[in-house]
Amino acid sequence: MRSIQPARGKFGGLVLQATALLCLIVGSVHAFAQAPVGIPRDLARLRAQQLKDIRYELSYTITPKADFIQGYEELRFVQNADDRGILPEWLDFREGSISSLTINGKPASTEIQNGHVELPARLLKLDENLVVIDFKAPVAPAGKAITRFEDKDDGSEYIYTLFVPMDADMAFPCFDQPDLKARFQLNVTAPQDWTVISNTDGHETTRENAGAAGQHRIEFSETKPISTYLFAFAVGPFKKVHDTPGLPGLYVRKSKLQKAEGEAASVQQITADGIKYLSDYFAQPFPFPKYDMVMIPGFAYGGMEHAGATFLREESILFRTAPTHSDRLNRDILLLHELTHQWFGDLVTMRWFDDLWLKEGFAQYMAYHALNSLKPNENVWKRFYQAIKPAAYAIDSTQGTTPIYQDIPNLKDAKSAYGAIVYSKAPGVIKQLAFVVGDEQFRDGLRLYLKEHAYANAEWNDLVRALERTSKKPLGPWADAWIKRRGMPQVDVIWTCDEKKLINHFSLSQRDVLGEGGIWSIGMEILMDTPHNGVWSIQTMFETQKMEFTRAIHFPCPTMVFANSKDYAYGRFLLDPVSRKAVVSQIAAVDDVFKRTLSWGSLWDSVREAELDPREYIDLALKNLPTETDESLAQSIIGRSITALHRYVSPEIRTQLAPKMEALAADQMLHSPSQDMRITWFRALRGVAETANARGQLKDMLSGKLTVPGVELRPLDRWNIVESLVAQNDPDAAAVLAAEEKRDPSGDGKKYAYMAKAARPDATTKKQYFDEYLHDTARPEDWIEISLGSFNWWNQSDLTLPYLAPALDALPQVKRERKIFFMLAWLNAFIGGQQSAAAQKQVHDFLNSADLDKDLRLKILEVVDELDRTVKIRGKYR
Ligand SMILES: [Zn+2]
């Protein structure tokens, strides 16, 4: 699965990028005599030893508008023979109810204790057991495993499941752990005009139990063995778009059918190309009987890779803002990421969520790898550096970081494992691994791993061993440092030249950014720019704290040295003062766009380390952006300049610089020869506009007096303008908002109006929204999520500071009730909305005093780092 990217496609605001211990005696019959809290890893290990051949036959009857669905389940499993005799089992089931339960034909208690149902030993047998259950499972707009979406455009209703990582047991009684793979046979009875999509193909049946009049029953063929979190179904008046033989199925809600038709062919084609490419690369055919994609509005993630039936956030596929070329490539990445999971995650699944990186890191890495082969002219590894590395380095230099392998003692804490470590650091480290072992050996290692664990589970050391076998290189120490230890190195280069203009000293040193004494084995390429002898690059391994790099001695004296050319290595690589000066003076003249991007990236790292005045960065951006032609590089420089403007420089300097950025944006928006750049500069203008003049231009765009040549603004472009005007208390804000609500009464329009109104700079609004965030269970989660940034608008920190402490107090509730990525969005919004030392003190006081789960503490430490930096940079350069 994948978080939502790009973050609302907008500039301004922050785009930043996650254990209770339970002591149990394993192996004893009485280990879990009481119903445990959550699913302890020890329970999971015990069950994995005891159980096999699990099959779920599930029949659901879906009634429109009901707050539950009716379920009937036949669960079959074999309990392994064991010298302890027949053991009792706990079946997992939360928040639903059971009306009858029989075990091997004998009635048993239907009581649910702590989210578990007991299967007593006296009713079980060795060999196959049959448990038959009638149950109800909850359905709600938010906070449950089965979500109802009401389409406000046409009144239709849609119901879909989302179980990862720990919610399958809210939809049916099961053994909810990834290493108890099972075969599922699903039947759904639903209104006649509703389509049902699941992991396998279904067909309509006319059996007498087909339900009441106006209903039909769909029976699906049995799945291959899959983990519980990969089982899924979606029900409602979905339509199949662009149904073409040879291309994967694509479904959309019926009110968006027309819009989807324009996008379907490219979505299906890149997926079909990806299936072919990955089947060859992995030497494994597509592992499931079919592949469909279902677009779900307001889906909590960018996508979720259910075996054979990926669910995608509709907004990530059908663009709500005028898209650029980069937006389309990011969509390709999302599609290829979910597709890779069909092998990495679904065919071979991690044994437990502590190895989450095994699926997420590889899906992320392989998505770029595949796109690089399918679209070789798109400079994909430069995009990887831009999209992946900043989030990884940002978290890995904070006290909130974790190793890539994360200890998860209980499934209820698995949500916290999702974040930049698995989505950004892991793919960065995998890129380094491929560089170290060699491309072919890397590919062959993956082939071996997938072949040996197909339709089963594996752990990280299984992969490392496979790569050791194919590369003949010992990788144990490498893996210990990169997988099991947290943090990262900062690599510094010191070099001098003699009077003959030849290098006479060149050394590398590394230090642990967190000061925890780590030394990493780093494969890297060092680049040297010389004035008369061109560009040199040398590849090397750097495995000690300090290294005299004698191979560079007697090279022509460089003007600039960069130790992470082509971004093979993972770590902080700042420019030395001489090189930084050279880069600053001639950055626009660097022809190679990847190199130029790396140079800009290194300068930004210097800003964040408080080594370069943020004002200097903005000045450099203002000077060089007019000639920058690479869209994604321009986007990143603009985004960072706006962050520097809104967070790092003083209000006085901002007041001087903002009009310059506004003027540049307005000019480029109108006159850039590239449509992608005009869209990028339109977003820049909206992100930076604060003077009356620039706000006037935004209003002219809403009224149609001013247009971006060749570009038609889409609904969210317009709503983002409205939001900005509302947030800045523009005198026309109320009128503009009312006009837009009238103009766009669609379901999306209502959601975006909710977002825009959260930006109102008044205390009553903030109070009302905050109460809703915590107490309104009917409000869809994605409405709340998109409004968090508006609530915490960058210039409203005085107004929102009173909510910082209550937002921190609410974390246990947020963790319990919300989907995976919500927690980080929440913290980034409430902590990221602040810039002051007073706010910083509040967060650190909270950390010192609160009795917090370890995972929550780490998340706060991760997010507060940006506030710490902001206060430090402001203090130094004010
Ligand atoms: Zn994923």
Side-chain angles (χ1 to χ4, degrees):
M1 54 178 273
R2 181 86 192 273
S3 59
I4 302 142
Q5 286 190 356
R8 291 163 61 200
K10 61 198 296 182
F11 293 119
L14 274 183
V15 186
L16 301 171
Q17 292 291 319
T19 349
L21 286 171
L22 220 91
C23 293
L24 295 155
I25 305 150
V26 189
S28 153
V29 176
H30 303 291
F32 293 94
Q34 307 285 311
V37 174
I39 299 175
R41 182 171 47 201
D42 293 333
L43 171 64
R45 285 191 177 150
L46 197 61
R47 290 197 302 207
Q49 290 165 15
Q50 291 169 351
L51 305 178
K52 64 177 180 185
D53 296 340
I54 302 172
R55 285 182 143 80
Y56 297 95
E57 187 182 329
L58 282 164
S59 301
Y60 285 110
T61 301
I62 297 177
T63 313
K65 312 275 186 223
D67 56 8
F68 61 88
I69 64 177
Q70 190 76 49
Y72 170 81
E73 173 175 345
E74 291 182 9
L75 161 64
R76 290 176 174 78
F77 63 89
V78 171
Q79 194 177 88
N80 287 319
D82 183 304
D83 54 12
R84 292 166 296 185
I86 299 172
L87 302 171
E89 299 293 348
W90 289 106
L91 199 54
D92 313 322
F93 191 48
R94 284 184 294 141
E95 300 200 16
S97 61
I98 295 177
S99 55
S100 94
L101 188 151
T102 65
I103 302 170
N104 296 320
K106 301 210 172 68
S109 166
T110 58
E111 187 194 353
I112 299 171
Q113 311 167 46
N114 259 351
H116 303 276
V117 184
E118 189 177 12
L119 307 180
R122 64 185 163 80
L123 298 178
L124 295 173
K125 53 184 183 181
L126 296 177
D127 209 350
E128 187 173 88
N129 291 276
L130 171 63
V131 180
V132 178
I133 310 168
D134 281 297
F135 64 94
K136 283 180 182 178
V139 181
K144 304 291 177 209
I146 307 174
T147 303
R148 168 183 301 106
F149 171 78
E150 193 194 326
D151 188 336
K152 293 196 163 58
D153 292 346
D154 64 3
S156 300
E157 181 181 344
Y158 296 83
I159 286 172
Y160 63 92
T161 60
L162 180 54
F163 299 157
V164 70
M166 49 167 269
D167 289 346
D169 68 353
M170 246 198 275
F172 61 101
C174 58
F175 300 112
D176 197 5
Q177 61 188 71
D179 60 344
L180 281 177
K181 289 197 172 185
R183 294 176 188 271
F184 290 79
Q185 196 271 307
L186 172 71
N187 310 298
V188 175
T189 303
Q192 190 73 47
D193 60 339
W194 285 16
T195 306
V196 190
I197 304 128
S198 186
N199 304 85
T200 53
D201 282 323
H203 64 274
E204 198 165 322
T205 173
T206 50
R207 278 186 2 205
E208 74 245 27
N209 57 354
Q215 293 201 304
H216 65 162
R217 176 179 157 107
I218 310 293
E219 296 184 356
F220 289 85
S221 50
E222 191 177 66
T223 67
K224 300 258 191 195
I226 56 173
S227 302
T228 41
Y229 80 92
L230 293 169
F231 168 63
F233 58 88
V235 189
F238 285 104
K239 297 290 168 201
K240 204 165 186 180
V241 199
H242 194 244
D243 191 2
T244 310
L247 292 180
L250 181 65
Y251 290 87
V252 70
R253 57 182 158 134
K254 68 175 181 188
S255 64
K256 292 285 180 192
L257 180 60
Q258 212 185 340
K259 280 214 167 60
E261 267 158 3
E263 302 288 346
S266 58
V267 169
Q268 288 166 300
Q269 193 58 54
I270 189 78
T271 307
D273 294 347
I275 289 174
K276 188 172 177 314
Y277 177 79
L278 292 171
S279 303
D280 289 349
Y281 185 84
F282 291 140
Q284 276 273 359
F286 187 81
F288 300 102
K290 58 99 184 170
Y291 190 58
D292 287 324
M293 294 170 283
V294 187
M295 286 185 253
I296 303 222
F299 194 59
Y301 323 136
M304 177 60 211
E305 70 275 14
H306 306 117
T310 283
F311 290 180
L312 297 164
R313 176 178 262 234
E314 185 190 286
E315 293 85 341
S316 302
I317 305 300
L318 309 181
F319 298 112
R320 301 309 208 254
T321 58
T324 64
H325 186 64
S326 288
D327 294 335
R328 294 186 184 282
L329 289 172
N330 286 337
R331 184 174 71 182
D332 289 345
I333 290 291
L334 167 66
L335 294 166
L336 292 169
H337 173 115
E338 304 306 340
L339 182 62
T340 301
H341 274 313
Q342 300 294 318
W343 288 264
F344 254 95
D346 297 5
L347 174 65
V348 180
T349 310
M350 74 259 152
R351 185 167 301 292
W352 186 246
F353 284 90
D354 43 19
D355 268 331
L356 186 62
W357 75 282
L358 266 184
K359 75 182 187 79
E360 294 309 337
F362 271 88
Q364 198 77 310
Y365 172 80
M366 283 307 302
Y368 284 88
H369 182 101
L371 189 65
N372 190 48
S373 295
L374 298 173
K375 298 189 173 175
N377 299 323
E378 296 294 356
N379 229 326
V380 169
W381 291 116
K382 184 208 77 166
R383 293 176 185 277
F384 179 91
Y385 163 75
Q386 289 181 290
I388 300 293
K389 291 297 190 77
Y393 297 154
I395 181 174
D396 233 0
S397 51
T398 75
Q399 289 297 330
T401 196
T402 66
I404 285 180
Y405 172 89
Q406 303 185 55
D407 188 40
I408 311 284
N410 194 305
L411 190 66
K412 72 183 173 57
D413 300 315
K415 280 183 194 175
S416 302
Y418 289 79
I421 287 297
V422 294
Y423 285 96
S424 299
K425 180 174 185 179
V429 166
I430 290 165
K431 185 180 178 203
Q432 155 97 160
L433 178 62
F435 177 68
V436 171
V437 300
D439 286 338
E440 264 179 45
Q441 292 79 356
F442 178 76
R443 182 202 62 197
D444 292 347
L446 300 192
R447 287 178 172 182
L448 195 60
Y449 168 84
L450 289 173
K451 191 172 155 205
E452 290 186 340
H453 305 282
Y455 303 105
N457 297 79
E459 294 175 353
W460 69 276
N461 47 11
D462 296 319
L463 180 73
V464 169
R465 262 186 251 125
L467 289 164
E468 281 182 332
R469 277 152 69 193
T470 55
S471 71
K472 312 270 190 296
K473 285 185 183 164
L475 294 170
W478 182 92
D480 281 345
W482 287 108
I483 310 298
K484 293 189 80 173
R485 197 169 68 217
R486 72 175 198 164
M488 65 175 183
Q490 171 169 322
V491 176
D492 292 305
V493 183
I494 295 174
W495 50 278
T496 54
C497 298
D498 59 20
E499 65 281 2
K500 288 185 225 146
K501 300 272 184 218
L502 296 175
I503 294 175
N504 63 357
H505 169 242
F506 198 111
S507 67
L508 297 165
S509 65
Q510 59 168 303
R511 71 175 180 87
D512 183 334
V513 165
L514 297 177
E516 294 173 348
I519 302 282
W520 283 264
S521 158
I522 308 167
M524 60 205 280
E525 181 173 301
I526 301 168
L527 177 141
M528 293 186 278
D529 240 347
T530 61
H532 306 297
N533 296 282
V535 178
W536 299 76
S537 52
I538 314 174
Q539 297 186 345
T540 186
M541 289 299 296
F542 174 33
E543 302 179 289
T544 48
Q545 197 272 320
K546 198 162 192 275
M547 179 167 90
E548 294 301 324
F549 191 52
T550 48
R551 282 163 65 195
I553 303 294
H554 304 317
F555 265 64
C557 192
T559 48
M560 189 273 263
V561 172
F562 185 56
N564 194 16
S565 172
K566 303 211 180 77
D567 189 38
Y568 291 123
Y570 180 92
R572 185 190 290 154
F573 291 81
L574 300 181
L575 293 164
D576 63 85
V578 174
S579 301
R580 192 193 305 150
K581 212 172 147 206
V583 165
V584 167
S585 68
Q586 48 156 0
I587 199 158
V590 179
D591 285 338
D592 180 69
V593 66
F594 195 175
K595 195 174 149 199
R596 200 160 70 242
T597 303
L598 287 165
S599 302
W600 276 106
S602 190
L603 289 178
W604 182 247
D605 287 341
S606 299
V607 172
R608 288 181 36 85
E609 289 306 302
E611 289 185 8
L612 178 67
D613 187 338
R615 175 178 191 150
E616 242 183 273
Y617 184 93
I618 300 170
D619 283 336
L620 197 66
L622 285 166
K623 186 174 149 211
N624 289 290
L625 276 169
T627 52
E628 182 53 64
T629 52
D630 185 79
E631 178 214 330
S632 67
L633 176 54
Q635 270 194 40
S636 114
I637 301 169
I638 292 167
R640 287 169 169 178
S641 299
I642 294 177
T643 298
L645 209 52
H646 290 168
R647 294 185 65 79
Y648 299 160
V649 300
S650 66
E652 298 72 34
I653 291 174
R654 195 192 81 237
T655 314
Q656 290 167 31
L657 294 180
K660 293 184 188 172
M661 186 62 95
E662 289 172 350
L664 175 64
D667 181 57
Q668 293 282 325
M669 174 183 87
L670 295 175
H671 302 118
S672 170
S674 143
Q675 169 152 320
D676 293 324
M677 293 298 274
R678 292 195 297 276
I679 294 173
T680 298
W681 281 108
F682 154 68
R683 294 177 188 171
L685 178 63
R686 193 188 39 66
V688 76
E690 60 174 278
T691 64
N693 179 40
R695 281 184 279 115
Q697 287 171 317
L698 292 183
K699 284 181 267 185
D700 286 348
M701 297 183 81
L702 288 178
S703 70
K705 261 195 253 173
L706 181 66
T707 55
V708 186
V711 178
E712 194 185 338
L713 296 189
R714 296 200 182 180
L716 185 53
D717 288 318
R718 298 180 57 88
W719 279 109
N720 283 335
I721 293 179
V722 173
E723 175 199 35
S724 171
L725 295 169
V726 168
Q728 305 197 56
N729 216 9
D730 185 90
D732 298 322
V736 161
L737 175 67
E740 201 62 21
E741 283 188 289
K742 207 170 153 198
R743 188 180 190 276
D744 181 6
S746 68
D748 273 358
K750 290 184 175 67
K751 177 167 76 180
Y752 299 143
Y754 180 81
M755 167 190 86
K757 288 174 191 172
R760 279 178 175 150
D762 66 73
T764 317
T765 298
K766 303 299 178 194
K767 180 173 185 320
Q768 183 209 327
Y769 269 79
F770 195 82
D771 285 348
E772 268 200 18
Y773 290 165
L774 295 185
H775 306 301
D776 184 355
T777 53
R779 185 69 71 191
E781 189 168 306
D782 70 311
W783 286 44
I784 295 178
E785 199 165 344
I786 64 162
S787 75
L788 292 173
S790 323
F791 183 103
N792 290 286
W793 197 261
W794 64 271
N795 67 355
Q796 295 180 16
S797 41
D798 290 345
L799 203 53
T800 53
L801 184 59
Y803 293 95
L804 181 57
L808 295 173
D809 288 334
L811 288 175
Q813 180 189 345
V814 167
K815 174 178 164 183
R816 205 169 48 241
E817 295 175 1
R818 298 295 178 186
K819 299 288 183 199
I820 288 170
F821 298 105
F822 188 92
M823 164 81 69
L824 265 185
W826 178 266
L827 283 172
N828 279 325
F830 283 97
I831 299 178
Q834 301 300 321
Q835 301 99 9
S836 67
Q840 181 193 24
K841 181 171 181 307
Q842 270 198 27
V843 180
H844 286 282
D845 286 350
F846 179 81
L847 278 167
N848 292 334
S849 66
D851 181 20
L852 279 170
D853 286 355
K854 185 184 167 199
D855 57 330
L856 293 178
R857 180 173 298 279
L858 288 173
K859 289 282 181 209
I860 300 172
L861 283 166
E862 173 190 340
V863 175
V864 76
D865 179 79
E866 169 61 24
L867 180 55
D868 293 341
R869 284 173 194 273
T870 301
V871 172
K872 184 176 171 192
I873 294 167
R874 287 187 154 208
K876 180 163 176 184
Y877 293 107
R878 178 140 287 188

